[in-house]
Amino acid sequence: MLSKALLRLGASAARHPWRVIAAWLIAATLAVLAAIALGGRTADSITAPGLDSRRAAELIERAGTGQEGMTAQVVVTPLDGGATFFDDDGARTALTRLQTEVKRLPHVLGTSDPAGALDAGGDTAVRGGLVSADGRIAVVRVQYPDQSRLSAADLDALVGLGDRLRAELPLRIEMGGNLFYAFSDPDGGVSELIGLLAAAAILFLAFGSLVAAALPIGMAVFGLTVGVATMTVLAGVTEVPTFAPVLGSMVGLGVGIDYALFVLARHREYLACGLDPQAAAGRAVATAGRPVVFAGGTVVVSILGLAVANVPFMTVGGVAVSIVVLTMVLASVTLLPAFLGAAGPRLARAGRSGRLGRRRDTAAGAAPALGWRRWLGHVGRHPVPYAVGAAALLLTSTLPVLGLRVGLPDDGSLPHSRTERRAYDLVAEGFGPGTNGPLVIAADPAGDPGVLDRLVGSVTADPGIASVAPAHIDRATGIATLVVFPTTSPQDKATTDTIARLRTDVLPTAIGHGPARVHVGGAAASLSDVGRRTSQRLPAFVAAVLAMSFLLLMLVFRSILVPLKAVLLNLLSIGAAYGIMVAVFQWGWGGALIGLEATVPIVSFIPMFLFAILFGLSMDYEVFLLSRVREEYLRTGDNGTAIVEGVSGTARIITSAALIMVAVFLSFAVADDPSAKMFGLGLATAIFVDATVVRMVLVPATMTLLGRANWWLPKWLDRMLPGGPADTDAESTGEAPRPRLADR
């Protein structure tokens, strides 16, 4: 039985704390050394098999034009605000030197030549999209090979060259492009520190003891070190997306401290009952550790379910985050009881001073706070208005989801302190917003000599296209590539509409029924395709996670209505989080509070990721709360008493744990990257709603309305189900079992 195994594991770790702590120190050291020796840098490849943009990339790769690789752009303007490249010989000479030095960088296949276009004539420069019509802005486009042959060192070399030339040339130099997107380091370090400090402050207020507050923080730091280092090793084997370390740190800190708080609170209860520290740690791991293992397993299974989207970077990102969560679960049932054993009876003394410890001792442990009992009694006397009111509030918060639009924020959503944002603004000012996100049309004429002319004519005539660069034709394969500049920015919905129109109307009409093949690629097209695929696969993924969660909860609680209610309430809290994200990021409501400088679409893969993570995290509170309610129900046989005793007995712990999680997640909402902001705000909102409106209002109200039906399970189904975890605290710790309700 899981509980007995956890009892033995926790008690053993508490009896031999320094052995366990030493083992974790060795594991952390080895993980860090392996990350240094074998690890890789994170990188992004936003594509997937079977997408039209992927087929375009494959055609371009066959042609060997180099356009299938990574790109960067160096945007320059004379430091003298009134000067132009047309009339300033010094600026033109500096531009020539810049081009030459960029071309010499490692792995650069070639660059555009705005200086040469200027020498050939201003009109040529403007037509080539290399120098703006007013002569103030020039763009050096840099072509790199495929991402698999590059590394972060290439980005470092380009950035380093820019830093040096800014001091030597009379030019303002800004840089951007997908090389930055692929190899820029995530900006989660400061957020992690802010989250840790906030968690430490909350824990100290809750426990009134530095020792008690330090234990969850210490465990989380150990687990995060091992988990993120392992993720870095994984990046040396396969391509780990750049958001994975930020998301892994965010979720790892949240769940690690959360799990530790659950176990620590139970440990202090058993110390208050007079148990010695080793026995108390063993029983705490057996009781609170059981929902920790279950909840952590649910998070991992939900995240790994992202593979259903068939988007490789999401699958690998899910595996990377799951590694961190699994590490935190393992630390909660091994390292934490070792800390508890090493701390000894000091936690019992400290426990009487903190907010969580200000409760009178009873034979069963610490009595629930009187304030929570009053509140739950009030909800129990008026269940209908509270259930209806809370559900209406959450449904109203969910309504903005109807306007959800997926995409990927472009560099125009970054703060002005970033060179990518300044480069984006200069390009948009000089050439139009669509120049920041060109499309690449790849065509295989297959022997049709007139298809290219028809393609160029049809694409140029489309109202969503600003200009079309001269076609490049590979002589060996006959494959042609067209670089096309939309009239709108990459994140604009109109750009997505233009891509769809090209594929469904413009290009099929141009090639007719002949053998030619045409595909639309480029970064904007790839992001649009991934967004569409994740949106299509989201319903199947949600259904699979809901079914799995329902079955697991039915096994744990031997009930039909309890898991059904849990699934529906979790959907409400997640829907509210989605709705608030739409209101903030798409509508701009309160965006300035988190440093959002422009409205942006919801990142295409975030809704699916958030659902996987949040559904698992919500199980923490669901299992922790309902386990206590079921214990009381089996002990007393009274549904109302079980709700009041069970919910009030866990309310302080749940609200404190939720407050810590919200603080950790919100610390990431102030990061520069809009994706990190979305993850942080979405997770914080859902956890806050789940721990307050759902757990403290909807759960007691609906359970009161359902009465004894909460625990109804048909006898034939009960016989079919495998034996679940122990029903009571006594059973889980190996003591004489209490009588079940059915035996009374």
Side-chain angles (χ1 to χ4, degrees):
M1 181 186 290
L2 176 61
S3 297
K4 291 182 179 179
L6 290 173
L7 174 65
R8 290 192 294 269
L9 182 62
S12 176
R15 282 194 300 269
H16 309 287
W18 300 113
R19 295 180 188 178
V20 177
I21 294 171
W24 272 91
L25 276 172
I26 293 171
T29 302
L30 291 176
V32 171
L33 291 176
I36 294 172
L38 307 173
R41 296 283 290 270
T42 57
D44 284 311
S45 179
I46 311 297
T47 187
L51 299 178
D52 189 65
S53 53
R54 180 64 184 167
R55 296 189 183 101
E58 290 168 353
L59 270 184
I60 296 170
E61 191 172 357
R62 268 184 54 201
T65 62
Q67 289 177 315
E68 75 279 6
M70 305 294 294
T71 60
Q73 58 184 18
V74 182
V75 189
V76 295
T77 186
L79 285 177
D80 181 357
T84 72
F85 287 105
F86 292 130
D87 57 27
D88 189 329
D89 291 336
R92 189 178 300 194
T93 301
L95 177 60
T96 302
R97 180 185 167 191
L98 173 73
Q99 291 175 219
T100 302
E101 298 218 25
V102 170
K103 196 176 295 185
R104 291 174 181 167
L105 290 174
H107 298 127
V108 171
L109 300 178
T111 68
S112 62
D113 186 14
L118 283 166
D119 293 336
D123 290 342
T124 302
V126 174
R127 282 199 304 271
L130 303 178
V131 181
S132 60
D134 60 7
R136 290 182 51 255
I137 300 169
V139 178
V140 179
R141 295 193 173 88
V142 190
Q143 185 66 53
Y144 287 91
D146 184 78
Q147 183 171 336
S148 61
R149 291 189 278 169
L150 301 175
S151 70
D154 294 285
L155 175 60
D156 295 340
L158 180 63
V159 172
L161 175 63
D163 291 340
R164 177 169 62 84
L165 293 181
R166 285 188 185 97
E168 299 176 5
L169 301 179
L171 299 175
R172 174 187 167 191
I173 302 173
E174 307 295 351
M175 299 179 176
N178 57 18
L179 186 72
F180 283 79
Y181 181 78
F183 294 112
S184 291
D185 282 325
D187 54 352
V190 175
S191 297
E192 293 169 19
L193 180 59
I194 295 172
L196 279 173
L197 292 175
I202 295 168
L203 285 168
F204 179 73
L205 290 174
F207 290 114
S209 164
L210 288 175
V211 175
L215 296 186
I217 298 293
M219 190 212 80
V221 170
F222 263 99
L224 197 61
T225 300
V226 174
V228 173
T230 306
M231 186 188 301
T232 304
V233 174
L234 179 64
V237 178
T238 187
E239 189 176 278
V240 175
T242 54
F243 68 80
V246 175
L247 185 58
S249 299
M250 192 186 311
V251 175
L253 280 177
V255 301
I257 296 173
D258 218 22
Y259 296 164
L261 181 58
F262 290 165
V263 176
L264 180 58
R266 271 294 176 102
H267 176 73
R268 290 172 58 252
E269 287 185 14
Y270 293 132
L271 287 177
C273 291
L275 294 182
D276 64 81
Q278 289 75 28
R283 289 195 65 184
V285 173
T287 52
R290 187 178 59 201
V292 163
V293 171
F294 173 79
T298 305
V299 173
V300 170
V301 172
S302 298
I303 295 176
L304 293 180
L306 291 167
V308 74
N310 194 24
V311 179
F313 80 90
M314 289 180 61
T315 302
V316 176
V319 171
V321 175
S322 296
I323 289 172
V324 179
V325 175
L326 281 175
T327 305
M328 289 300 182
V329 172
L330 183 60
S332 299
V333 297
T334 57
L335 180 60
L336 182 61
F339 283 163
L340 298 178
R346 285 177 292 177
L347 290 175
R349 292 194 298 270
R352 298 187 180 97
S353 60
R355 287 182 60 85
L356 289 178
R358 291 179 190 145
R359 50 181 81 174
R360 58 185 178 87
D361 293 340
T362 68
L370 184 59
W372 285 112
R373 291 172 59 88
R374 289 173 176 169
W375 166 252
L376 292 165
H378 177 68
V379 172
R381 290 190 296 273
H382 310 281
V384 174
Y386 275 106
V388 173
L393 175 64
L394 295 183
L395 287 172
T396 302
S397 300
T398 304
L399 287 177
V401 173
L402 299 175
L404 185 145
R405 180 172 68 86
V406 298
L408 191 78
D410 54 34
D411 288 346
S413 61
L414 295 174
H416 286 89
S417 59
R418 297 275 291 267
T419 185
E420 303 101 296
R421 169 62 186 272
R422 297 192 296 269
Y424 178 97
D425 289 344
L426 282 175
V427 170
E429 177 187 344
F431 306 95
T435 311
N436 282 296
L439 306 176
V440 181
I441 297 177
D444 182 359
D448 185 344
V451 69
L452 186 57
D453 291 337
R454 298 198 301 273
L455 281 174
V456 172
S458 298
V459 172
T460 304
D462 187 87
I465 301 301
S467 62
V468 179
H472 183 283
I473 304 175
D474 179 61
R475 292 184 179 180
T477 62
I479 294 173
T481 54
L482 294 173
V483 178
V484 177
F485 299 97
T487 57
T488 49
S489 68
Q491 72 176 25
D492 199 310
K493 183 179 183 300
T495 302
T496 303
D497 295 339
T498 296
I499 294 170
R501 188 169 58 251
L502 290 175
R503 288 172 172 165
T504 60
D505 184 21
V506 176
L507 300 182
T509 301
I511 64 175
H513 298 288
R517 292 187 298 139
V518 183
H519 303 287
V520 181
S526 294
L527 296 170
S528 174
D529 290 349
V530 169
R532 187 171 63 255
R533 172 168 288 186
T534 54
S535 297
Q536 291 170 346
R537 301 289 175 89
L538 184 59
F541 170 72
V542 169
V545 172
L546 295 181
M548 176 201 67
S549 301
F550 176 83
L551 291 175
L552 289 176
L553 286 173
M554 184 169 63
L555 286 173
V556 171
F557 296 112
R558 321 300 287 186
S559 165
I560 293 290
L561 294 181
V562 162
L564 179 61
K565 172 185 61 64
V567 165
L568 294 177
L569 295 186
N570 288 343
L571 279 177
L572 281 177
S573 61
I574 294 172
Y578 282 0
I580 290 173
M581 285 173 58
V582 171
V584 172
F585 291 98
Q586 290 184 209
W587 300 351
W589 293 6
L593 297 176
I594 57 172
L596 188 68
E597 298 186 3
T599 58
V600 294
I602 304 300
V603 177
S604 56
F605 54 83
I606 282 183
M608 189 175 281
F609 249 107
L610 277 184
F611 188 88
I613 294 169
L614 288 172
F615 211 88
L617 293 181
S618 65
M619 289 298 136
D620 292 1
Y621 304 135
E622 188 73 26
V623 175
F624 191 66
L625 184 151
L626 290 180
S627 294
R628 295 294 289 266
V629 173
R630 181 150 178 81
E631 285 178 20
E632 296 298 331
Y633 183 68
L634 291 169
R635 183 174 65 86
T636 66
D638 182 81
N639 184 67
T641 301
I643 293 171
V644 172
E645 297 293 330
V647 178
S648 61
T650 57
R652 286 181 180 273
I653 302 169
I654 287 177
T655 51
S656 296
L659 187 58
I660 290 170
M661 267 203 180
V662 169
V664 170
F665 294 152
L666 281 181
S667 69
F668 286 83
V670 297
D672 286 347
D673 183 16
S675 299
K677 290 181 185 293
M678 289 180 193
F679 275 125
L681 183 65
L683 289 169
T685 301
I687 293 298
F688 176 78
V689 169
D690 191 80
T692 54
V693 179
V694 172
R695 302 299 154 207
M696 299 306 151
V697 179
L698 272 174
V699 166
T702 54
M703 292 190 77
T704 299
L705 290 172
L706 291 172
R708 294 175 65 91
N710 281 302
W711 312 109
W712 172 74
L713 183 70
K715 292 183 178 180
W716 62 268
L717 182 57
D718 194 16
R719 289 192 296 267
M720 291 177 59
L721 294 176
D727 285 321
T728 69
D729 194 8
E731 289 174 310
S732 68
T733 53
E735 299 177 0
R738 299 171 183 175
R740 295 175 180 268
L741 183 65
D743 299 330
R744 295 181 175 173

